[in-house]
Amino acid sequence: KKLPEKVPKKLNTKIEEIARKAVEEMSKEAGNFFHEELDDDIHTEEQVKAIIELFPESLSQRKKNNFLPIQSATMSGCRSGARSSVSFVPLMAREGYRLGTSGEGNRGG
């Protein structure tokens, strides 16, 4: 005898889809943060690592010029007075490799 489901299958499917979309959107926001707001003077390695742990796919979010967050960090601070996030490049590379989000052949892109 089969026990009844706790949550009806149709409702469960809808909830899972909503949750998937929410996580996808949060990951996209984390990627945008890495591209546009990450700053050596404001943020810590602990904060960046926590974001990567929560949203590993954020390291694969492409932005302007098809750049990945690690590429944006590498190019940050090139203009005088611009924010820099270059100090986070080794952490992004290490975590991307560890989590398998570092692209083709684990080369970072």
Side-chain angles (χ1 to χ4, degrees), residues 41-70:
D41 294 330
I42 299 170
H43 305 105
T44 67
E45 279 203 9
E46 185 176 276
Q47 290 172 322
V48 172
K49 191 169 182 175
I51 293 167
I52 293 169
E53 284 289 330
L54 288 169
F55 307 107
E57 292 304 314
S58 65
L59 292 176
S60 300
Q61 296 289 328
R62 293 192 179 269
K63 203 63 175 171
K64 318 171 218 165
N65 302 323
N66 211 26
F67 279 4
L68 293 166
I70 195 168

Side-chain angles (χ1 to χ4, degrees), residues 2-108:
K2 188 174 180 178
L3 296 174
E5 298 172 348
K6 288 186 178 185
V7 177
K9 187 173 184 167
K10 187 175 179 181
L11 176 58
N12 190 54
T13 301
K14 284 187 178 270
I15 290 170
E16 286 176 357
E17 178 63 18
I18 291 167
R20 186 193 61 74
K21 285 180 182 177
V23 170
E24 191 176 288
E25 189 64 28
M26 289 183 280
S27 183
K28 198 180 296 184
E29 285 302 315
N32 288 340
F33 171 81
F34 286 147
H35 282 290
E36 299 169 7
E37 297 178 41
L38 187 59
D39 191 319
D40 292 335
D41 294 330
I42 299 170
H43 305 105
T44 67
E45 279 203 9
E46 185 176 276
Q47 290 172 322
V48 172
K49 191 169 182 175
I51 293 167
I52 293 169
E53 284 289 330
L54 288 169
F55 307 107
E57 292 304 314
S58 65
L59 292 176
S60 300
Q61 296 289 328
R62 293 192 179 269
K63 203 63 175 171
K64 318 171 218 165
N65 302 323
N66 211 26
F67 279 4
L68 293 166
I70 195 168
Q71 293 168 302
S72 292
T74 302
M75 300 298 292
S76 68
C78 290
R79 292 186 319 270
S80 178
R83 71 169 175 80
S84 175
S85 54
V86 72
S87 71
F88 297 110
V89 168
L91 173 65
M92 291 173 138
R94 211 172 33 250
E95 291 301 298
Y97 179 79
R98 182 178 72 82
L99 296 166
T101 61
S102 52
E104 182 183 329
N106 280 326
R107 295 185 313 224

